[in-house]
Amino acid sequence: MGETDKDDLIKMIDEDENDTNFPEIMPLMPVRDVVIFTDMLLPLFVGREKSVRAVEEAVREDGFLLLVTQKDPNIENPGQDEMFRIGTVSKVLRMLKLPDGRVKALVQGIAKAKILDFVRRKSVYRVKIERIIELPLKEISIEIQALMRIVRENSEKIMAFRGELTGDVGSILEGINDPGKLADLVASSLRLKIEESQQLLEIIDPVKRLKKVNELLSKEVQLSAMQAKIQSDVKEEISKSQRDYYLREQMRAINKELGDNDERSQELSSYRKKIKRCKMSKEAEQEAEKQLKRLEMMHADSAEASVIRTYLDWLVELPWSKSTKDVINIKHAKKVLDTDHYGLDNIKDRILEYLSVRKLNLKMKGPILCFVGPPGVGKTSLGKAIATAMKRKFVRISLGGIRDEAEIRGHRRTYIGALPGRILNGLKQCGTNNPVFMMDEIDKVGADFRGDPSAALLEALDPEQNFAFSDHYLNLAFDLSKVMFVLTANLTDTIPSALLDRMEVINLSGYTSEEKKIIAETFLFPRQIKENGISTKKLSISSEAMQQIITEYTSEAGLRNLEREIGTICRKVARKIAEGEKGTFHISKKNLQKFLGVPKFIPEMDQEDSQIGLSTGLAWTQVGGEVLYVEAALFVGKGELIITGQLGEVMQESARAAVSYARANLSLFGLEENIFDNTDVHIHVPAGAIPKDGPSAGIAMATALISVLINKPVNKFVAMTGEITLRGRVLPIGGLKEKALGALRAGIKTIIIPEKNIKDLTEIPQNVKRKIKFVTVKQMNDVLPLAIEGFNADDLQHKKNKKA
C-alpha cells in the first residue's frame, strides 16, 4: 500500500468525492466491531463466505460496495434486521485472495447511504440505496472555526497521551477546513463504542456532528489525563516502596553496628519467646520455627508476611498446655446443681458420677454428653452448672443452621482471610484446653455443597480420636481429649447415626405442674423481680395465682413462656411504681386477669362431653407431649377411605391398618359384612396446618372408627397410644413420659399403653402416677371396653367364641 497507508493502514483521503457516481443497487457486506466513515481508508480481512462473495461481486462490477455495521458482532450470519440501516458506500481499491480462502481488501469510504430495500438475500446481499448528501456550508463562522480549533487541540492531546503524536498528524488536522471531514477523521481515530460511532455516522449536519465529536473528545481527554495521573502515582508509589526498603535495610545495618535492635528484630524475638513459653507439641514447635524463618527472610510489608504473622499468632495463643485445675468436691457440686436446677435427678446423678470417676482417675477421657429434650427445660444452663461445679471455663457455640464444614474445621491457609474453625476459636477465647464445651442445637446442623459439618464433628467428638484433632488452618494435631463436650438437641431423629453413636444421650422430659410451680416460686419469680428493679416487699404472687398462670396461661414442656408471663406481671407493676403509685401489689386469682388478660389455655379437655367417633391419642413433639384428637365419620359412598389432617406416610398407613382391622372384625361388633360396600370412611386429625406422623395413633384411629360403627361414645377422660396391627395387636411406642405429662396438662385421667411399654413407667414421676391411671393392653379387644362407654366386653367374647 506504500505511502497511501503509512499510519497503521487507517487514513483519511482529503479529496472531494461528492462528484463520484455509483449505482443505486450494489452488493452489501456487514462488518463487525468497526464503523466506516467517509474518506476513510481501511484494510479488511474478510472470512465469512457471504462477505467474500460480496467483495468478489463488487470487484467484478465497478468496485462499489455498501459497508454496514451489524448490531451484534457475535452473530455469524446477520439478517436484515440485525444490521444498521445507514452505512458507507466504499470503493474496493485492492483485493488479495489468501491461501485459506479468506480475502484481504483495501477499501475507501466514498459517501453515506441509506438502505431502501433488500433486492437479494441468498448468496449475496444486494440492496437498493439512497445516497445521503451533506449540504456544504455557505460560510464558516468564527464560532465554527473556534470549535474546529478545539477539536484539533484535543485530538493532539489524546495522540500525545497515547504516544502517537507526530508532525504528519498535526499537518493533516491543520489541512482540513471542512467541519464534516474533520469530524469524520477524528471520529475514526477515537476508540468509541459501536453505538456511539454509528450515532455519529447518522448525524447529517456537519456542525452538529463536529459538536458531538467535541463532547466525546473532551470526555476522552479527561479519561486519558486521569489514566496518566494514576500511572504516574503508581510509579511514584513503587519508587517510594523501593526507597523505603533500602532505607530500612540501611537503618537495620546501622542499628546492628550500634548494638540496637530494630522493631523487626524485636518482633521476631518476641515470637521466639512465645513459642518456647506456650509449650506446644514437638510437631507444632517445628512448624512454628519453620514459619518464623520464612517470615525473617520476607519483606515486612509483603502480603505473605501478614499471612504468616496471623498463623504464628494462632499457634502461640492456643492453649497447648494451659489447663485449669479441677476442684472436685462432690457435695459442693451437688449443691451447685441443686441451686441452679430443680428436679432432673437422673441428669444430676450422671454428672456427679462423672465427677466422682474424674476425682479417682485424673487421666480419664472426657465424656461426650448429649442432653435431649424439649425447649426451655434447662439443657444449656446445665452445662454452665457443670463448669461452675468443676471450676472450669465454659465455652458455648450454637450449631443451628450451620451448613459449612469449614465452620468446624476451618479453612486452608491458601484462602484469603482463612481462620480456624469454631472449636479451636472457642479454646483460644477461654484460654484453657480443658473447658466445658457446649454445642447447642446439634440436631439442626445441615449439609450442602460446602460439605457436611456433622461429618467434621465425628473426629472431635470421638474420645478415641480427638487427642489428635486436625484443623484445616493449623494442619497440626491438637489434643481435645481433656475437653468435656456437652451437646444439646430437641430430637435425635435428625442427628446422623455415626455421630449419635459417639454420644451418651441423656433425655430431659418436661416438668409437671407441681415442679413448674416450685421452680417458678424458687427461681423464676425472684430473677424477674431483680431484673425489673422491684423489691420483694413491693410485689408478691399467691400460690393459687401461680398455679393458674401455669395451667391457664402456658402449655409447654419447658419454662420459657412461664417466665415470660411472670416477667409481664413484673413489668406492669414496675410501670405502676414508676408512675408514682404507692403501696404493695399482691397478685391473686381474682386480679390476675388485670395483668395477663383472659386465659390463653383451658386445662380441661377441648371436648365438653364424650362423643361418638372422637378419640384422644397422644403425640410426642420436639416441644414435649401433647394430646391428639382423632375423628371418624361414615357416610354413603363407594367404600373409599379419606384421610385428612396433613398426615405423614406412616400415620396414613396406621389409618389404613385401623380400617382393615375394623372390616376384618365386623361380625364381632354385630355388624353386617357388607356395611363398607356403600359407605365411605373419613378419618381426620384436627390442627390440619401442623404436619403429623408416626404409628402411635393407630389404636386411637381404630377406636374412633369402631365408636362410629357401633354408635357408642368414647370416654373423654381416656387417652391412648400404641401401634395397631392388622390382627389387632398393640405394639410399643416411644416418648411415654413426655406423652404422660402432656396428658396431665390436658386433664386426662386414664392412659391406655401397650403392655411392652410397662418398663417405661419407672421413668414417670410418682406425682404423675397418682393423678393418672396407666392401663396396659395386648390386643385391640382390650382397648375397646376401656375406651368406649357402654361397650360390652363379655358380649364381644361370646361372639368371638361363637364365631370360632
Side-chain angles (χ1 to χ4, degrees):
M1 284 177 277
E3 294 181 357
T4 311
D5 191 25
K6 67 181 180 180
D7 189 13
D8 294 335
L9 302 177
I10 301 175
K11 282 191 173 181
M12 302 290 282
I13 307 296
D14 189 18
E15 297 175 4
D16 190 356
E17 298 289 349
N18 290 335
D19 296 333
T20 304
N21 295 319
F22 44 79
E24 290 184 355
I25 297 175
M26 64 176 63
L28 175 143
M29 184 176 78
V31 294
R32 43 188 169 189
D33 297 328
V34 67
V35 175
I36 312 296
F37 290 91
T38 54
D39 295 335
M40 184 176 177
L41 192 68
L42 184 72
L44 294 176
F45 286 91
V46 184
R48 291 186 282 192
E49 186 178 349
K50 220 169 186 180
S51 299
V52 171
R53 287 202 200 101
V55 174
E56 290 175 345
E57 190 167 317
V59 171
R60 280 199 304 270
E61 294 176 357
D62 44 20
F64 290 105
L65 179 68
L66 182 65
L67 298 178
V68 177
T69 306
Q70 61 187 65
K71 295 177 182 178
D72 187 354
N74 297 319
I75 298 175
E76 190 63 27
N77 294 308
Q80 63 186 48
D81 294 331
E82 293 162 336
M83 296 180 282
F84 291 105
R85 287 289 172 172
I86 295 178
T88 305
V89 177
S90 303
K91 180 85 172 179
V92 181
L93 302 179
R94 192 175 301 169
M95 185 187 81
L96 176 65
K97 281 194 174 184
L98 300 175
D100 58 0
R102 293 187 301 165
V103 168
K104 182 178 180 183
L106 182 66
V107 297
Q108 177 190 348
I110 304 298
K112 298 178 187 176
K114 182 179 181 181
I115 299 173
L116 296 178
D117 189 20
F118 282 79
V119 178
R120 194 171 73 195
R121 299 184 181 86
K122 290 186 178 180
S123 59
V124 176
Y125 281 120
R126 289 186 70 84
V127 290
K128 184 177 181 181
I129 65 169
E130 178 188 2
R131 181 172 181 171
I132 299 174
I133 300 175
E134 292 184 8
L135 297 176
L137 296 175
K138 296 178 181 179
E139 181 182 358
I140 300 178
S141 64
I142 294 176
E143 182 182 353
I144 296 174
Q145 290 179 9
L147 181 61
M148 293 176 67
R149 179 177 294 180
I150 292 171
V151 169
R152 290 189 187 102
E153 289 175 356
N154 284 338
S155 297
E156 290 177 357
K157 285 181 182 178
I158 291 175
M159 294 290 184
F161 284 136
R162 296 178 184 172
E164 300 172 354
L165 183 63
T166 61
D168 292 338
V169 173
S171 61
I172 290 172
L173 291 172
E174 290 294 335
I176 298 175
N177 297 316
D178 182 81
K181 289 184 178 294
L182 181 61
D184 290 342
L185 170 62
V186 175
S188 65
S189 63
L190 284 176
R191 298 166 184 171
L192 301 177
K193 297 178 181 177
I194 295 296
E195 292 79 8
E196 292 175 337
S197 298
Q198 184 67 25
Q199 187 181 0
L200 284 172
L201 182 68
E202 294 179 3
I203 298 175
I204 307 303
D205 187 281
V207 178
K208 288 182 180 179
R209 189 157 76 250
L210 189 63
K211 287 181 179 179
K212 183 66 177 176
V213 167
N214 186 44
E215 290 177 12
L216 296 170
L217 263 177
S218 300
K219 180 181 176 183
E220 187 68 25
V221 167
Q222 292 176 0
L223 287 173
S224 298
M226 183 58 66
Q227 183 181 358
K229 182 179 182 301
I230 292 171
Q231 289 177 344
S232 176
D233 291 346
V234 170
K235 189 175 181 181
E236 288 178 5
E237 188 65 31
I238 293 172
S239 301
K240 182 178 180 299
S241 299
Q242 291 174 343
R243 186 187 65 215
D244 291 348
Y245 176 76
Y246 288 128
L247 289 174
R248 198 175 288 110
E249 290 298 322
Q250 289 176 355
M251 286 292 295
R252 186 177 288 110
I254 292 170
N255 287 326
K256 189 175 181 181
E257 289 295 326
L258 294 173
D260 298 334
N261 291 325
D262 62 342
E263 292 180 3
R264 182 167 172 77
S265 299
Q266 291 176 359
E267 179 190 37
L268 296 172
S269 176
S270 174
Y271 275 127
R272 286 194 177 90
K273 289 178 182 178
K274 288 178 180 178
I275 291 170
K276 290 181 180 178
R277 196 185 305 135
C278 69
K279 297 179 182 179
M280 59 182 72
S281 64
K282 186 177 181 181
E283 180 187 5
E285 188 172 354
Q286 289 175 352
E287 181 65 22
E289 293 289 349
K290 177 182 174 183
Q291 297 299 329
L292 189 61
K293 287 179 182 178
R294 289 184 62 199
L295 179 64
E296 193 172 8
M297 297 171 65
M298 287 181 182
H299 189 280
D301 298 329
S302 67
E304 183 67 19
S306 177
V307 172
I308 292 176
R309 281 194 195 95
T310 305
Y311 181 70
L312 287 172
D313 287 338
W314 273 98
L315 282 179
V316 298
E317 289 176 16
L318 281 173
W320 296 90
S321 56
K322 292 181 182 177
S323 303
T324 54
K325 188 176 180 180
D326 291 341
V327 180
I328 301 176
N329 185 328
I330 306 301
K331 291 182 180 180
H332 172 72
K334 188 176 187 305
K335 185 178 179 182
V336 170
L337 293 173
D338 289 338
T339 302
D340 294 338
H341 297 83
Y342 177 80
L344 306 177
D345 294 331
N346 291 339
I347 294 92
K348 291 178 183 176
D349 289 343
R350 177 64 186 89
I351 294 168
L352 293 174
E353 287 167 7
Y354 163 72
L355 296 179
S356 301
V357 175
R358 179 77 184 174
K359 185 175 184 178
L360 300 176
N361 181 12
L362 297 176
K363 295 182 179 180
M364 74 166 289
K365 296 175 181 177
I368 314 296
L369 302 179
C370 182
F371 296 150
V372 179
V377 295
K379 299 187 293 295
T380 304
S381 58
L382 265 173
K384 294 180 182 177
I386 295 170
T388 305
M390 299 178 68
K391 294 191 177 181
R392 284 192 180 190
K393 294 291 182 70
F394 179 75
V395 183
R396 177 191 168 273
I397 64 173
S398 179
L399 301 178
I402 288 182
R403 295 180 177 275
D404 189 356
E405 183 188 347
E407 292 281 349
I408 306 299
R409 280 193 177 275
H411 296 86
R412 303 278 182 192
R413 270 184 289 158
T414 51
Y415 296 107
I416 296 173
L419 287 173
R422 292 194 179 194
I423 294 177
L424 291 189
N425 194 19
L427 294 178
K428 177 191 171 186
Q429 289 176 2
C430 72
T432 63
N433 62 3
N434 64 338
V436 175
F437 202 115
M438 173 154 277
M439 295 183 176
D440 267 337
E441 315 296 346
I442 185 67
D443 56 328
K444 296 174 182 63
V445 174
D448 61 8
F449 65 93
R450 292 168 293 186
D452 187 354
S454 60
L457 285 169
L458 292 176
E459 182 184 2
L461 300 181
D462 189 344
E464 300 299 325
Q465 299 181 44
N466 62 9
F467 64 89
F469 174 73
S470 178
D471 187 276
H472 286 158
Y473 180 80
L474 286 188
N475 202 24
L476 295 167
F478 191 91
D479 187 4
L480 298 179
S481 62
K482 297 179 181 179
V483 178
M484 182 178 181
F485 286 101
V486 178
L487 291 84
T488 70
N490 296 130
L491 293 170
T492 57
D493 299 355
T494 56
I495 303 175
S497 58
L499 187 59
L500 190 63
D501 184 59
R502 285 163 166 78
M503 300 184 250
E504 182 179 342
V505 177
I506 301 176
N507 290 299
L508 284 78
S509 303
Y511 296 100
T512 62
S513 58
E514 288 80 2
E515 290 174 334
K516 286 184 178 181
K517 184 180 175 184
I518 295 171
I519 293 170
E521 292 172 347
T522 309
F523 301 100
L524 307 184
F525 182 58
R527 184 162 64 199
Q528 286 299 317
I529 281 182
K530 183 179 179 182
E531 288 182 0
N532 289 280
I534 308 171
S535 66
T536 52
K537 297 178 181 179
K538 288 284 186 180
L539 175 62
S540 62
I541 300 178
S542 69
S543 180
E544 294 80 9
M546 188 67 76
Q547 186 65 42
Q548 190 175 1
I549 295 172
I550 293 167
T551 56
E552 297 185 12
Y553 290 88
T554 63
S555 178
E556 57 175 345
L559 299 163
R560 286 203 180 102
N561 287 326
L562 177 57
E563 186 168 8
R564 289 190 187 104
E565 298 297 334
I566 296 171
T568 301
I569 294 173
C570 294
R571 288 194 301 273
K572 292 185 183 299
V573 171
R575 179 182 173 183
K576 291 178 181 293
I577 295 172
E579 288 175 349
E581 195 169 330
K582 302 294 184 181
T584 59
F585 297 88
H586 179 70
I587 311 299
S588 64
K589 289 186 72 173
K590 294 181 180 179
N591 65 355
L592 182 62
Q593 287 195 20
K594 293 181 181 179
F595 293 89
L596 295 181
V598 296
K600 300 175 184 176
F601 302 95
I602 300 173
E604 290 81 18
M605 303 243 329
D606 288 351
Q607 63 212 64
E608 295 178 358
D609 300 310
S610 299
Q611 298 179 28
I612 296 172
L614 176 59
S615 65
T616 307
L618 295 173
W620 179 27
T621 69
Q622 62 180 358
V623 294
E626 295 180 4
V627 293
L628 187 75
Y629 297 106
V630 179
E631 297 178 341
L634 301 178
F635 48 87
V636 178
K638 300 178 181 179
E640 295 180 354
L641 172 62
I642 303 169
I643 304 171
T644 55
Q646 201 173 347
L647 309 184
E649 291 183 6
V650 176
M651 205 164 182
Q652 290 184 32
E653 290 173 358
S654 293
R656 294 190 188 97
V659 173
S660 297
Y661 167 77
R663 295 186 68 170
N665 294 276
L666 288 174
S667 60
L668 293 177
F669 310 130
L671 301 172
E672 297 178 3
E673 296 288 344
N674 60 349
I675 189 174
F676 283 101
D677 292 349
N678 299 314
T679 304
D680 285 353
V681 178
H682 188 163
I683 295 177
H684 176 66
V685 182
I690 302 171
K692 314 167 191 74
D693 205 359
S696 62
I699 64 172
M701 291 177 174
T703 301
L705 178 58
I706 294 169
S707 168
V708 176
L709 288 170
I710 65 176
N711 200 30
K712 291 183 179 180
V714 181
N715 191 334
K716 69 173 184 177
F717 293 112
V718 175
M720 60 202 77
T721 179
E723 181 180 352
I724 189 173
T725 68
L726 293 178
R727 290 182 172 82
R729 289 190 301 139
V730 180
L731 302 184
I733 44 81
L736 183 61
K737 183 179 179 182
E738 289 79 6
K739 291 177 179 178
L741 294 175
L744 182 63
R745 288 193 293 271
I748 298 295
K749 306 297 183 186
T750 303
I751 297 179
I752 300 171
I753 64 171
E755 188 179 51
K756 292 185 178 179
N757 281 111
I758 195 169
K759 57 181 173 46
D760 299 323
L761 292 176
T762 56
E763 299 179 3
I764 297 174
Q766 288 297 325
N767 57 345
V768 177
K769 291 180 181 179
R770 286 194 297 269
K771 293 184 178 182
I772 295 179
K773 179 182 178 182
F774 291 88
V775 181
T776 60
V777 294
K778 284 184 178 181
Q779 296 282 338
M780 191 67 205
N781 295 343
D782 304 329
V783 176
L784 300 177
L786 297 168
I788 299 178
E789 295 178 355
F791 191 90
N792 193 333
D794 296 333
D795 187 43
L796 178 65
Q797 187 65 34
H798 175 70
K799 290 178 181 178
K800 184 176 180 182
N801 295 334
K802 188 176 179 181
K803 184 181 177 183

